[in-house]
Amino acid sequence: MNSDPPAHIKAGLEIHQQLETEKLFCSCPSVLSEQVSGLVLRKLRVSVSEMGEVDEAARLQTAKNESFEYEITPNSCLVELDEEPPHAVNMEAIRVGLEMALLLHSAPVDEVHFMRKVVVDGSNTAGFQRTALLSMGGWLDVGGRRVGIQSICCEEDACRKMERKGDTVTYRLDRLGVPLLEISTDPDIDSPEMLKAVARKIGMLLRATGKVKRGIGTIREDLNISVRGGSRVEIKGVQELDMLPAIAENEAARQRRLLDASGRLAERKHAIEHGWKDMTALLSSSQSTVIRRSLSAGSIIGGMILPGYAGLLSSGGQSVIGTEIAQRLRAIGIHGILHSDELPAYGVTEEEKTRVSNELGARSGDAFVLCAAPLSRMDEAMAAVVTRALQAAIGVPEETRDAKEDGSTAYSRPLPGRARMYPETDVLPIRVDRKLLEGIASGLPEPFEEQAVKIEKEFNLHRQQAVQIAEEGYGKLFTDLSSRYGNPAVLARILLNNIPEAEREAGTSFGDLSVLEGVMARLRDGAFAKEAVPGLLVCMLRGRGLDECISALGIGGMTREEAAGIIARIVNEHSDLVRERGEASVGPLMGIAMKELRGKIDGRDINALLASEVRRVISSRDA
Amino acid sequence: MIMVADSELQKKLASLGIQPGDEIMVASGERELKGILIPHHEFSDHGIITIKLGSGYNVGVKASGRTRIELLKKADASPFGKQQRGAEHTATNELRRVAFAGTGGTIASFVDYRTGGVFPAMDAAGIVSLVPEISRICSLEGRNIFSVFSENIGYQQWCVLAEEIADRLNEGYSGVLVSHGTDTLSYTAAALSFMLPRLSGPVSIAGAQRSPDRPSFDGYLNLVSAARVSSSSDIGEVVAVMHASSSDRGCHVHRGTKVRKMHSSRRDAFRSVNAEPIAFVDDEIHFLSDYRKSTSGRVRADTRMENEVALLQFYPDMDARDLLKWTDGKKGVVVAGTGLGHVNSGLVDAIGRLTAKDVPVVVTTQCLYGSVDLNVYATGRDLIKAGVIDGKDMLPEVAYVKLRHVLAHHSRPGDIRKAMMNNAAGEFNDRRTGLDEF
Ligand SMILES: [Zn+2]
């Protein structure tokens, strides 16, 4: 692959943000839980609709005869279990959605109707997800560019998938029903960096509402992306905003490689005419670990000739169609695949390659694929190989891919057909009238710039910090806590530095920042010093309460008198130093005192106490 | 979802020749929306037009005087209210024939995925297309004999059902499968149990707590299990076949005179009260307790019942005058007393006045679980003196149905008492075992 220019792409974003409210259709708390109190086992089936049509994807899913096991958690009730009708919709969630609509200039519908979107992979106990369209159209400006908003929907989050064993998939009910806002942009984004900028801006607006969850997994981004001549590919489940550019770059590069391969394929004869052949006997004495392991697991080795495909499966050390085929196979649970463009390798010798090639009747310009699978699944596996090989001619097939942590993506399934949706008759329509909208409009967060100016002036912060606080969506929280408990500079540092650092250290994040109320109140009361905050945050992130952490860290409850006593002792122990250096001994003594008193009392207080004690000793000696 | 006249809007739509199902355009201000007109939701606000957008979402649009509405395309044929035609289903000779009798209720209905409208399945083929697995178990044949909301089912329907069941069994069907709404399912089960004292095959009644449009439809398992019971068991009773637990693992087979709906919404709402279920059904039938076996010979429906019977639940401060008022003109009364079968002392006298007029009064317990025992406390003994009939561990509703049946067949107080004390259809259970959850 030669050095690519910055990718020119056409992309749109779909952002799913969990809300910090109760669940959408019951009053269970929107939290994750590690406590499982019971299990139920269910099956899902699609019935024929009145029109006689069955959704093909849904039919295939139910044909798998899967069972679903649901783990009951303390934050789930009969609604999540599909044992009770949904309660009245959580209007707080609807209001946050409408607030976002107003912030994004998106026009709310006049009446919200919840729908049932059929989903039969087990992630919803009912077999459908409840979802409603709140608003349509709109825009936001990012770096002087305007990006269109397609729609804002409010929907319920699905169960958490825990594991799959054979035909049984285990889900946990904790996340089911958590309100999600889905914000979809138009495909107006034309560079990987702009993707990130748009996602960041929407994230800022969401946080500004003060009603969204924070931390990993609480915001998920899907993107649809194509390069010129390519096709729409949906990439699901990006959890880190910073990964968006890399994922887009990689996908653009992948699409360009596929387009290049299709161009080269067009110049050749490439009909796939023959079925697969059993190569097991031919390779039975191979020293290749891949092959030996497959054979001992009871698989056979099938060979399939791909006439005209030589050099397209991999090219210049870069796997092209080969990887695509491997991913299709992985999606149906088959992992053993080798192809001629990468051989000899993996213990398969040149001689074995030639033997296979001859056995399959391959001529120069032809490629072949070797696939290890149980005999009963070989037809299915080779059908997947042929399907993907044939798609090489069209370039980029439309499909859904999963985002990986390293910025790459892998095939997951075909693009879903149009979802089957029908009205959720258990939930009443919600009228969005002028009164409701005016109420929401009057409580909208101010624009970030205005918030920043106010914070800067009122609390005497640095400009940069004030802007950051506003943009992170902390404006309301910061103003509220600083007005009530003081210490604005400390709070700014906590929000912008201490929390991100503590979350990195603890490897987890605060679901919401309600803990700060206690921290700021106790800090004002002198329960501990600001230096103790980072340690406290880490302690609380590990699941302990504020008071517990204060006593565990030994930072609580030191009065000025107690500190003065300790400082007097330290000065006394170092009387030689005081004698030698006089008032200049305060510097070195400060280090010693801090070791004992850090976090228990403010550093400036230590300094003041120390200075006065040193002066007292000097003057009493002089006297 | 029904059409509610929002008269002005309806007039406007009608004048444009627009009907639900048509593709229309609604424009107000700058916004133009295209979609399919959906029937007005009964709880939609005035002046709201609901349309289904291309994305599949329904949205409500306020139509004011300035709103432009245009008809874009008429629906091919009105898709609303169309009857479901079941998939063609050919009976296989090897499979046993089971007669289907539909009574309405959500268990056997289809949804129009465009509107969410629900339409009943009209025959066995409709049921089989809803639950294809049945076709591997039996050959289901028959139709809806009526289509009534469960709460509106009563004596008239019980008679039709009992006659239908008798006719089908006499025609040689292996068994009968009745689909029924869950609310009054247990009353029907009890009534049929008394009306059909001898059966040549199993009669299973199945319902559903979740509607069939959902992939999580619980009636699927209930219908499959009921088909299994009706086609391949030697049970000669009327039974309810419903989820045994919240899981889709299998169903319990409950005796028609012992079953009760104990939860308003759960799948496993139906319980055998004061009895073990007869069986647990998954891929097979696992019997758990004794049952009456089917007998050969002609099945006769004995459908006569007395209409003038009251069922009253005692509560603190219940007034004797009220009791006499409500039971005025009644030929029999069932009282669901507290605990072991008690009422306040004021009522004891009123009850005595009823029995003195030869109006039988049967005492049951509103605890449901456990038996009446009138010998333990003075109030109970007073009730015995007042001439009540001990309902033992019979459910109040079952006592009500039974008393109606008994009164249509006996007139002498002694005979009535004797018939009420006779265990006619398994409604009494002398041995209540175990300490399981109730
Ligand atoms: Zn809940």
Side-chain angles (χ1 to χ4, degrees):
Chain A
M1 194 177 60
N2 34 29
S3 65
D4 287 310
H8 283 292
I9 56 169
K10 187 175 170 202
L13 270 171
E14 205 176 272
I15 292 180
H16 301 90
Q17 169 73 61
Q18 289 184 344
L19 300 186
E20 181 60 35
T21 66
E22 286 176 351
K23 288 189 177 178
L24 195 50
F25 294 107
C26 63
S27 46
C28 288
S30 295
V31 294
L32 297 186
S33 173
E34 297 312 314
Q35 234 176 302
V36 175
S37 59
L39 287 176
V40 299
L41 182 112
R42 296 277 173 75
K43 294 204 167 246
L44 295 176
R45 297 161 178 107
V46 252
S47 65
V48 189
S49 80
E50 200 261 346
M51 320 299 280
E53 57 193 45
V54 180
D55 178 23
E56 188 59 14
R59 196 189 59 77
L60 286 176
Q61 188 82 36
T62 45
K64 284 193 200 157
N65 196 29
E66 288 172 317
S67 295
F68 307 110
E69 205 170 51
Y70 296 101
E71 296 179 340
I72 300 167
T73 58
N75 74 320
S76 65
C77 66
L78 290 185
V79 174
E80 286 92 328
L81 265 173
D82 189 41
E83 286 287 28
E84 189 173 289
H87 302 181
V89 66
N90 176 353
M91 275 307 288
E92 198 180 2
I94 301 292
R95 266 189 224 105
V96 181
L98 292 171
E99 191 173 332
M100 280 308 290
L102 297 184
L103 290 171
L104 291 169
H105 318 280
S106 185
V109 300
D110 296 324
E111 197 171 70
V112 174
H113 288 247
F114 269 90
M115 308 295 288
R116 297 171 173 176
K117 187 195 273 183
V118 174
V119 180
V120 287
D121 64 1
S123 58
N124 288 66
T125 46
F128 53 73
Q129 179 193 33
R130 298 184 182 94
T131 174
L133 182 63
L134 298 183
S135 71
M136 289 170 278
W139 49 266
L140 81 163
D141 286 335
V142 178
R145 303 271 306 278
R146 182 155 288 192
V147 174
I149 296 294
Q150 228 160 47
S151 62
I152 300 178
C153 293
C154 181
E155 56 193 29
E156 47 180 5
D157 207 344
C159 290
R160 267 206 292 164
K161 190 170 181 171
M162 306 309 285
E163 65 166 352
R164 166 188 282 279
K165 267 190 199 153
D167 286 338
T168 305
V169 187
T170 302
Y171 287 100
R172 190 168 292 178
L173 292 177
D174 53 1
R175 204 179 66 185
L176 180 62
V178 172
L180 284 179
L181 285 188
E182 182 203 83
I183 300 173
S184 311
T185 76
D186 288 326
D188 292 345
I189 302 167
D190 60 10
S191 75
E193 279 311 318
M194 191 175 170
L195 260 180
K196 182 177 164 184
V198 172
R200 196 176 113 77
K201 182 76 183 279
I202 294 176
M204 275 160 49
L205 291 169
L206 281 165
R207 286 191 297 273
T209 66
K211 282 288 173 200
V212 303
K213 282 195 167 290
R214 52 188 307 287
I216 283 284
T218 61
I219 184 161
R220 301 191 291 272
E221 274 125 16
D222 297 347
L223 58 148
N224 55 70
I225 174 171
S226 60
V227 298
R228 191 170 303 127
S231 310
R232 206 172 91 103
V233 168
E234 274 186 20
I235 299 174
K236 298 268 184 201
V238 184
Q239 300 210 349
E240 295 237 27
L241 191 103
D242 290 341
M243 290 308 293
L244 280 170
I247 287 170
E249 291 279 4
N250 288 337
E251 176 57 19
R254 188 187 73 95
Q255 293 196 10
R256 280 195 302 266
R257 283 197 299 276
L258 293 177
L259 289 171
D260 174 61
S262 96
R264 287 195 283 150
L265 193 59
E267 295 157 9
R268 308 180 187 179
K269 265 190 73 175
H270 59 89
I272 300 174
E273 288 164 344
H274 300 286
W276 62 274
K277 280 191 181 173
D278 193 341
M279 298 286 124
T280 314
L282 197 141
L283 292 167
S284 60
S285 55
S286 172
Q287 294 303 302
S288 159
T289 352
V290 182
I291 288 175
R292 290 170 71 92
R293 205 183 295 137
S294 303
L295 292 180
S296 66
S299 288
I300 65 159
I301 310 289
M304 167 71 92
I305 182 166
L306 299 176
Y309 279 74
L312 295 179
L313 302 184
S314 342
S315 163
Q318 177 90 43
S319 183
V320 187
I321 308 296
T323 305
E324 300 285 319
I325 290 175
Q327 289 180 352
R328 290 289 172 94
L329 288 173
R330 210 166 296 146
I332 55 170
I334 292 169
H335 298 270
I337 172 176
L338 295 169
H339 61 75
S340 50
D341 281 353
E342 61 186 348
L343 298 179
Y346 307 107
V348 178
T349 63
E350 182 67 50
E351 192 238 328
E352 282 166 338
K353 181 183 173 184
T354 310
R355 285 223 310 261
V356 171
S357 189
N358 291 341
E359 181 70 23
L360 291 170
R363 284 179 272 179
S364 108
D366 295 349
F368 66 78
V369 164
L370 290 175
C371 175
L375 175 61
S376 61
R377 299 203 61 196
M378 191 57 80
D379 282 340
E380 181 194 354
M382 286 301 186
V385 170
V386 170
T387 302
R388 185 60 191 91
L390 288 174
Q391 284 176 339
I394 58 163
V396 184
E398 290 193 340
E399 61 194 30
T400 306
R401 303 179 66 83
D402 287 334
K404 303 278 167 204
E405 276 178 21
D406 64 358
S408 67
T409 60
Y411 172 84
S412 63
R413 56 186 182 275
L415 278 190
R418 205 164 77 194
R420 187 155 91 189
M421 278 203 256
Y422 64 105
E424 167 52 278
T425 41
D426 296 342
V427 177
L428 298 186
I430 304 143
R431 182 77 170 93
V432 181
D433 53 18
R434 186 178 298 166
K435 202 172 136 225
L436 177 64
L437 288 175
E438 281 172 359
I440 290 165
S442 68
L444 281 186
E446 292 168 293
F448 297 125
E449 302 73 34
E450 287 170 34
Q451 281 187 41
V453 169
K454 273 197 186 165
I455 289 170
E456 183 187 0
K457 277 199 194 134
E458 189 173 338
F459 300 102
N460 201 20
L461 284 196
H462 290 299
R463 184 70 218 257
Q464 183 58 28
Q465 271 186 317
V467 168
Q468 243 183 308
I469 283 172
E471 291 192 348
E472 289 294 330
Y474 295 145
K476 260 186 211 168
L477 179 79
F478 177 84
T479 307
D480 177 41
L481 292 183
S482 296
S483 318
R484 284 157 63 203
Y485 304 111
N487 283 321
V490 178
L491 182 58
R493 195 173 164 72
I494 290 176
L495 288 169
L496 301 177
N497 305 94
N498 297 158
I499 286 180
E501 283 159 17
E503 288 180 338
R504 256 196 304 282
E505 187 178 336
T508 176
S509 26
F510 290 109
D512 61 76
L513 294 179
S514 54
V515 289
L516 287 187
E517 169 113 36
V519 171
M520 295 311 291
R522 305 295 295 274
L523 182 68
R524 178 199 57 190
D525 298 343
F528 50 82
K530 65 178 189 295
E531 287 78 8
V533 169
L536 261 182
L537 293 174
V538 173
C539 175
M540 286 191 287
L541 277 165
R542 296 194 166 130
R544 300 166 80 173
L546 176 58
D547 289 327
E548 208 187 333
C549 287
I550 290 173
S551 65
L553 296 176
I555 53 175
M558 180 160 294
T559 61
R560 224 179 136 87
E561 286 68 41
E562 286 172 291
I566 289 169
I567 284 170
R569 182 185 43 111
I570 291 172
V571 172
N572 187 37
E573 282 167 7
H574 297 83
S575 49
D576 293 354
L577 187 72
V578 176
R579 203 173 304 126
E580 264 171 45
R581 307 203 27 200
E583 286 202 32
S585 67
V586 170
L589 284 175
M590 187 67 191
I592 298 163
M594 279 303 276
K595 254 182 219 157
E596 266 190 60
L597 296 170
R598 184 186 305 277
K600 297 178 187 177
I601 180 165
D602 194 281
R604 275 171 307 189
D605 288 342
I606 297 173
N607 195 279
L609 284 170
L610 199 55
S612 84
E613 178 64 13
V614 167
R615 249 180 272 124
R616 193 189 64 77
V617 170
I618 293 170
S619 61
S620 69
R621 192 187 56 203
D622 290 351
Chain B
M1 186 169 295
I2 52 166
M3 293 279 289
V4 170
D6 190 337
S7 49
E8 241 168 80
L9 184 55
Q10 294 306 330
K11 255 185 256 164
K12 184 167 184 177
L13 290 171
S15 72
L16 292 163
I18 295 171
Q19 288 170 312
D22 292 346
E23 198 180 323
I24 61 169
M25 191 271 294
V26 185
S28 46
E30 285 175 18
R31 188 159 73 185
E32 267 186 22
L33 292 175
K34 287 178 193 166
I36 293 168
L37 179 68
I38 297 295
H40 190 81
H41 189 289
E42 52 189 311
F43 291 111
S44 247
D45 205 357
H46 281 290
I48 293 282
I49 296 177
T50 308
I51 58 171
K52 187 178 195 67
L53 304 174
S55 60
Y57 280 101
N58 288 7
V59 295
V61 190
K62 176 85 181 166
S64 67
R66 280 165 300 159
T67 308
R68 273 190 308 124
I69 303 173
E70 267 174 43
L71 174 64
L72 298 178
K73 188 167 170 275
K74 287 296 287 179
D76 295 340
S78 175
F80 310 110
K82 197 168 71 180
Q83 296 293 358
Q84 164 67 22
R85 268 195 59 244
E88 285 306 312
H89 173 66
T90 43
T92 330
N93 286 336
E94 304 102 67
L95 291 175
R96 294 200 177 202
R97 293 165 70 218
V98 169
F100 169 74
T103 70
T106 51
I107 179 163
S109 53
F110 291 84
V111 70
D112 177 344
Y113 284 99
R114 296 216 292 175
T115 64
V118 174
F119 308 100
M122 296 310 286
D123 54 17
I127 293 287
V128 173
S129 75
L130 203 61
V131 185
E133 210 171 317
I134 291 177
S135 63
R136 290 209 294 269
I137 296 169
C138 65
S139 167
L140 193 68
E141 299 162 22
R143 63 195 169 87
N144 271 12
I145 52 170
F146 47 81
S147 197
V148 180
F149 283 129
S150 175
E151 58 270 30
N152 295 330
I153 287 181
Y155 176 61
Q156 205 188 330
Q157 287 76 24
W158 298 340
C159 293
V160 175
L161 252 179
E163 300 285 0
E164 171 83 10
I165 290 165
D167 287 351
R168 295 288 91 77
L169 289 174
N170 291 335
E171 280 168 23
Y173 282 93
S174 301
V176 181
L177 196 170
V178 178
S179 69
H180 200 292
T182 54
D183 277 10
T184 57
L185 191 152
S186 66
Y187 288 86
T188 300
L192 294 177
S193 298
F194 294 114
M195 288 175 164
L196 297 160
R198 265 187 309 280
L199 288 168
S200 60
V203 175
S204 55
I205 311 178
Q209 292 279 73
R210 300 280 94 75
S211 54
D213 60 276
R214 304 169 174 246
S216 63
F217 175 45
D218 62 322
Y220 193 101
L221 180 66
N222 299 344
L223 285 167
V224 166
S225 304
R228 209 177 289 286
V229 169
S230 288
S231 62
S232 59
S233 80
D234 61 351
I235 296 174
E237 299 191 31
V238 176
V239 294
V241 181
M242 295 292 288
H243 264 65
S245 72
S246 183
S247 292
D248 291 331
R249 290 182 194 278
C251 285
H252 272 146
V253 178
H254 303 281
R255 173 160 296 129
T257 52
K258 279 298 188 195
V259 68
R260 195 175 194 278
K261 184 177 184 179
M262 299 301 288
H263 197 280
S264 61
S265 61
R266 270 167 63 166
R267 286 165 174 70
D268 56 347
F270 284 79
R271 303 290 164 103
S272 283
V273 177
N274 297 321
E276 289 289 304
I278 291 172
F280 175 80
V281 191
D282 46 21
D283 292 340
E284 294 166 44
I285 302 172
H286 311 268
F287 286 99
L288 303 173
S289 62
D290 291 340
Y291 57 96
R292 195 169 61 208
K293 297 216 167 27
S294 51
T295 53
S296 55
R298 209 169 159 73
V299 177
R300 203 180 61 86
D302 178 1
T303 59
R304 280 185 300 144
M305 277 194 177
E306 170 59 55
N307 275 331
E308 297 302 327
V309 172
L311 167 59
L312 298 173
Q313 163 142 319
F314 167 74
Y315 48 84
D317 296 329
M318 191 176 195
D319 191 273
R321 280 165 306 179
D322 287 340
L323 178 82
L324 291 172
K325 193 162 65 193
W326 296 327
T327 56
D328 185 35
K330 295 294 169 191
K331 305 270 170 52
V333 178
V334 176
V335 175
T338 52
L340 293 166
H342 301 142
V343 296
N344 64 38
S345 50
L347 291 190
V348 176
D349 293 337
I351 287 170
R353 286 169 63 182
L354 286 171
T355 58
K357 288 193 293 176
D358 288 342
V359 175
V361 177
V362 181
V363 173
T364 59
T365 171
Q366 54 190 253
C367 297
L368 309 177
Y369 280 92
S371 177
V372 164
D373 193 330
L374 300 174
N375 299 312
V376 180
Y377 296 103
T379 310
R381 293 191 287 272
D382 291 343
L383 280 169
I384 295 176
K385 281 183 223 148
V388 299
I389 297 170
D390 184 341
K392 299 200 250 186
D393 71 333
M394 209 173 12
L395 286 162
E397 305 90 317
V398 175
Y400 161 78
V401 172
K402 182 179 182 184
L403 186 56
R404 289 183 65 177
H405 197 252
V406 165
L407 287 175
H409 293 78
H410 302 279
S411 50
R412 291 214 306 264
D415 294 345
I416 292 168
R417 175 178 295 271
K418 212 171 119 193
M420 282 306 292
M421 299 303 282
N422 175 41
N423 196 1
E427 64 274 24
F428 296 132
N429 180 22
D430 266 353
R431 290 192 69 240
R432 290 167 295 277
T433 56
L435 287 172
D436 294 340
E437 182 206 353
F438 54 83

